[in-house]
PDB file of all heavy atoms in Angstrom:
ATOM      1  N   ASN A 515     -28.230  45.427   8.711  1.00  0.00           N
ATOM      2  CA  ASN A 515     -28.658  45.107  10.093  1.00  0.00           C
ATOM      3  C   ASN A 515     -30.106  44.635  10.203  1.00  0.00           C
ATOM      4  O   ASN A 515     -30.332  43.820  11.079  1.00  0.00           O
ATOM      5  CB  ASN A 515     -28.444  46.280  11.060  1.00  0.00           C
ATOM      6  CG  ASN A 515     -26.928  46.661  11.121  1.00  0.00           C
ATOM      7  OD1 ASN A 515     -26.087  45.796  11.153  1.00  0.00           O
ATOM      8  ND2 ASN A 515     -26.701  47.944  11.175  1.00  0.00           N
ATOM      9  N   ASP A 516     -30.977  45.109   9.276  1.00  0.00           N
ATOM     10  CA  ASP A 516     -32.324  44.740   9.402  1.00  0.00           C
ATOM     11  C   ASP A 516     -32.633  43.417   8.804  1.00  0.00           C
ATOM     12  O   ASP A 516     -33.720  42.854   8.836  1.00  0.00           O
ATOM     13  CB  ASP A 516     -33.220  45.761   8.828  1.00  0.00           C
ATOM     14  CG  ASP A 516     -32.838  46.278   7.449  1.00  0.00           C
ATOM     15  OD1 ASP A 516     -31.789  45.604   7.037  1.00  0.00           O
ATOM     16  OD2 ASP A 516     -33.394  47.151   6.878  1.00  0.00           O
ATOM     17  N   ASP A 517     -31.625  42.715   8.246  1.00  0.00           N
ATOM     18  CA  ASP A 517     -31.850  41.424   7.542  1.00  0.00           C
ATOM     19  C   ASP A 517     -30.689  40.529   7.854  1.00  0.00           C
ATOM     20  O   ASP A 517     -29.863  40.235   6.927  1.00  0.00           O
ATOM     21  CB  ASP A 517     -31.966  41.801   6.027  1.00  0.00           C
ATOM     22  CG  ASP A 517     -32.124  40.515   5.225  1.00  0.00           C
ATOM     23  OD1 ASP A 517     -32.511  39.410   5.755  1.00  0.00           O
ATOM     24  OD2 ASP A 517     -31.785  40.609   3.946  1.00  0.00           O
ATOM     25  N   PRO A 518     -30.473  40.094   9.102  1.00  0.00           N
ATOM     26  CA  PRO A 518     -29.315  39.417   9.537  1.00  0.00           C
ATOM     27  C   PRO A 518     -28.949  38.238   8.611  1.00  0.00           C
ATOM     28  O   PRO A 518     -27.864  38.074   8.130  1.00  0.00           O
ATOM     29  CB  PRO A 518     -29.547  39.046  10.998  1.00  0.00           C
ATOM     30  CG  PRO A 518     -30.610  39.929  11.511  1.00  0.00           C
ATOM     31  CD  PRO A 518     -31.394  40.312  10.188  1.00  0.00           C
ATOM     32  N   THR A 519     -30.032  37.385   8.358  1.00  0.00           N
ATOM     33  CA  THR A 519     -29.734  36.125   7.633  1.00  0.00           C
ATOM     34  C   THR A 519     -29.474  36.420   6.165  1.00  0.00           C
ATOM     35  O   THR A 519     -28.928  35.610   5.449  1.00  0.00           O
ATOM     36  CB  THR A 519     -30.954  35.186   7.750  1.00  0.00           C
ATOM     37  OG1 THR A 519     -32.058  35.769   7.218  1.00  0.00           O
ATOM     38  CG2 THR A 519     -31.115  34.719   9.137  1.00  0.00           C
ATOM     39  N   GLY A 520     -29.847  37.521   5.710  1.00  0.00           N
ATOM     40  CA  GLY A 520     -29.508  37.892   4.330  1.00  0.00           C
ATOM     41  C   GLY A 520     -28.295  38.831   4.075  1.00  0.00           C
ATOM     42  O   GLY A 520     -28.006  39.308   3.066  1.00  0.00           O
ATOM     43  N   ALA A 521     -27.571  39.066   5.290  1.00  0.00           N
ATOM     44  CA  ALA A 521     -26.504  40.037   5.240  1.00  0.00           C
ATOM     45  C   ALA A 521     -25.224  39.588   4.523  1.00  0.00           C
ATOM     46  O   ALA A 521     -24.473  40.389   3.933  1.00  0.00           O
ATOM     47  CB  ALA A 521     -26.136  40.460   6.628  1.00  0.00           C
ATOM     48  N   SER A 522     -24.970  38.220   4.584  1.00  0.00           N
ATOM     49  CA  SER A 522     -23.732  37.793   3.988  1.00  0.00           C
ATOM     50  C   SER A 522     -24.094  37.322   2.635  1.00  0.00           C
ATOM     51  O   SER A 522     -24.754  36.303   2.391  1.00  0.00           O
ATOM     52  CB  SER A 522     -23.146  36.609   4.854  1.00  0.00           C
ATOM     53  OG  SER A 522     -21.920  36.256   4.334  1.00  0.00           O
ATOM     54  N   ARG A 523     -23.638  37.996   1.558  1.00  0.00           N
ATOM     55  CA  ARG A 523     -24.067  37.687   0.207  1.00  0.00           C
ATOM     56  C   ARG A 523     -22.847  37.510  -0.715  1.00  0.00           C
ATOM     57  O   ARG A 523     -22.719  38.285  -1.729  1.00  0.00           O
ATOM     58  CB  ARG A 523     -24.917  38.891  -0.315  1.00  0.00           C
ATOM     59  CG  ARG A 523     -25.985  39.329   0.714  1.00  0.00           C
ATOM     60  CD  ARG A 523     -26.723  40.490   0.082  1.00  0.00           C
ATOM     61  NE  ARG A 523     -27.757  40.116  -0.923  1.00  0.00           N
ATOM     62  CZ  ARG A 523     -28.951  39.574  -0.603  1.00  0.00           C
ATOM     63  NH1 ARG A 523     -29.382  39.368   0.553  1.00  0.00           N
ATOM     64  NH2 ARG A 523     -29.724  39.333  -1.600  1.00  0.00           N
ATOM     65  N   PRO A 524     -22.007  36.638  -0.386  1.00  0.00           N
ATOM     66  CA  PRO A 524     -20.819  36.359  -1.381  1.00  0.00           C
ATOM     67  C   PRO A 524     -21.267  36.179  -2.762  1.00  0.00           C
ATOM     68  O   PRO A 524     -22.180  35.474  -3.053  1.00  0.00           O
ATOM     69  CB  PRO A 524     -20.171  35.233  -0.799  1.00  0.00           C
ATOM     70  CG  PRO A 524     -20.703  35.007   0.643  1.00  0.00           C
ATOM     71  CD  PRO A 524     -22.105  35.674   0.568  1.00  0.00           C
ATOM     72  N   PHE A 525     -20.518  36.809  -3.655  1.00  0.00           N
ATOM     73  CA  PHE A 525     -20.702  36.671  -5.112  1.00  0.00           C
ATOM     74  C   PHE A 525     -21.955  37.213  -5.610  1.00  0.00           C
ATOM     75  O   PHE A 525     -22.260  37.118  -6.834  1.00  0.00           O
ATOM     76  CB  PHE A 525     -20.490  35.229  -5.604  1.00  0.00           C
ATOM     77  CG  PHE A 525     -19.279  34.502  -5.138  1.00  0.00           C
ATOM     78  CD1 PHE A 525     -19.153  33.406  -4.272  1.00  0.00           C
ATOM     79  CD2 PHE A 525     -18.072  35.112  -5.629  1.00  0.00           C
ATOM     80  CE1 PHE A 525     -18.013  32.909  -3.956  1.00  0.00           C
ATOM     81  CE2 PHE A 525     -16.833  34.530  -5.229  1.00  0.00           C
ATOM     82  CZ  PHE A 525     -16.830  33.407  -4.419  1.00  0.00           C
ATOM     83  N   GLU A 526     -22.785  37.900  -4.831  1.00  0.00           N
ATOM     84  CA  GLU A 526     -24.129  38.356  -5.234  1.00  0.00           C
ATOM     85  C   GLU A 526     -23.972  39.942  -5.491  1.00  0.00           C
ATOM     86  O   GLU A 526     -23.117  40.534  -4.932  1.00  0.00           O
ATOM     87  CB  GLU A 526     -25.176  38.165  -4.196  1.00  0.00           C
ATOM     88  CG  GLU A 526     -26.556  38.083  -4.696  1.00  0.00           C
ATOM     89  CD  GLU A 526     -27.381  39.337  -4.317  1.00  0.00           C
ATOM     90  OE1 GLU A 526     -26.737  40.311  -3.688  1.00  0.00           O
ATOM     91  OE2 GLU A 526     -28.546  39.440  -4.543  1.00  0.00           O
ATOM     92  N   LYS A 527     -24.803  40.421  -6.401  1.00  0.00           N
ATOM     93  CA  LYS A 527     -24.725  41.873  -6.803  1.00  0.00           C
ATOM     94  C   LYS A 527     -24.779  42.801  -5.668  1.00  0.00           C
ATOM     95  O   LYS A 527     -24.035  43.735  -5.655  1.00  0.00           O
ATOM     96  CB  LYS A 527     -25.813  42.144  -7.744  1.00  0.00           C
ATOM     97  CG  LYS A 527     -25.715  43.475  -8.420  1.00  0.00           C
ATOM     98  CD  LYS A 527     -25.944  43.467  -9.935  1.00  0.00           C
ATOM     99  CE  LYS A 527     -25.632  44.743 -10.603  1.00  0.00           C
ATOM    100  NZ  LYS A 527     -26.837  45.659 -10.679  1.00  0.00           N
ATOM    101  N   ASN A 528     -25.583  42.584  -4.691  1.00  0.00           N
ATOM    102  CA  ASN A 528     -25.826  43.510  -3.632  1.00  0.00           C
ATOM    103  C   ASN A 528     -24.956  43.231  -2.319  1.00  0.00           C
ATOM    104  O   ASN A 528     -25.327  43.780  -1.297  1.00  0.00           O
ATOM    105  CB  ASN A 528     -27.235  43.569  -3.367  1.00  0.00           C
ATOM    106  CG  ASN A 528     -28.151  43.950  -4.519  1.00  0.00           C
ATOM    107  OD1 ASN A 528     -27.842  44.833  -5.197  1.00  0.00           O
ATOM    108  ND2 ASN A 528     -29.076  43.004  -4.773  1.00  0.00           N
ATOM    109  N   ARG A 529     -23.878  42.520  -2.517  1.00  0.00           N
ATOM    110  CA  ARG A 529     -23.079  42.269  -1.372  1.00  0.00           C
ATOM    111  C   ARG A 529     -22.411  43.603  -0.979  1.00  0.00           C
ATOM    112  O   ARG A 529     -22.081  44.468  -1.734  1.00  0.00           O
ATOM    113  CB  ARG A 529     -21.961  41.279  -1.723  1.00  0.00           C
ATOM    114  CG  ARG A 529     -20.951  41.753  -2.724  1.00  0.00           C
ATOM    115  CD  ARG A 529     -20.013  40.589  -3.209  1.00  0.00           C
ATOM    116  NE  ARG A 529     -19.007  41.072  -4.134  1.00  0.00           N
ATOM    117  CZ  ARG A 529     -19.195  41.171  -5.449  1.00  0.00           C
ATOM    118  NH1 ARG A 529     -20.324  40.862  -6.035  1.00  0.00           N
ATOM    119  NH2 ARG A 529     -18.086  41.673  -6.261  1.00  0.00           N
ATOM    120  N   GLY A 530     -22.258  43.777   0.437  1.00  0.00           N
ATOM    121  CA  GLY A 530     -21.851  44.927   0.959  1.00  0.00           C
ATOM    122  C   GLY A 530     -20.808  44.788   2.007  1.00  0.00           C
ATOM    123  O   GLY A 530     -20.499  45.632   2.827  1.00  0.00           O
ATOM    124  N   GLY A 531     -20.151  43.635   2.057  1.00  0.00           N
ATOM    125  CA  GLY A 531     -19.122  43.456   3.097  1.00  0.00           C
ATOM    126  C   GLY A 531     -19.246  42.102   3.830  1.00  0.00           C
ATOM    127  O   GLY A 531     -20.254  41.473   3.600  1.00  0.00           O
ATOM    128  N   PHE A 532     -18.331  41.712   4.626  1.00  0.00           N
ATOM    129  CA  PHE A 532     -18.548  40.479   5.332  1.00  0.00           C
ATOM    130  C   PHE A 532     -19.200  40.648   6.693  1.00  0.00           C
ATOM    131  O   PHE A 532     -19.472  41.771   7.106  1.00  0.00           O
ATOM    132  CB  PHE A 532     -17.130  39.787   5.506  1.00  0.00           C
ATOM    133  CG  PHE A 532     -16.115  40.348   6.505  1.00  0.00           C
ATOM    134  CD1 PHE A 532     -16.228  39.996   7.861  1.00  0.00           C
ATOM    135  CD2 PHE A 532     -15.076  41.134   6.072  1.00  0.00           C
ATOM    136  CE1 PHE A 532     -15.284  40.535   8.738  1.00  0.00           C
ATOM    137  CE2 PHE A 532     -14.181  41.611   6.955  1.00  0.00           C
ATOM    138  CZ  PHE A 532     -14.246  41.365   8.363  1.00  0.00           C
TER     139      PHE A 532
END
Side-chain angles (χ1 to χ4, degrees):
Chain A
N515 296 318
D516 47 1
D517 177 21
T519 60
S522 185
R523 314 176 75 80
F525 302 119
E526 202 252 7
K527 185 142 188 265
N528 302 307
R529 65 186 183 273
F532 73 81

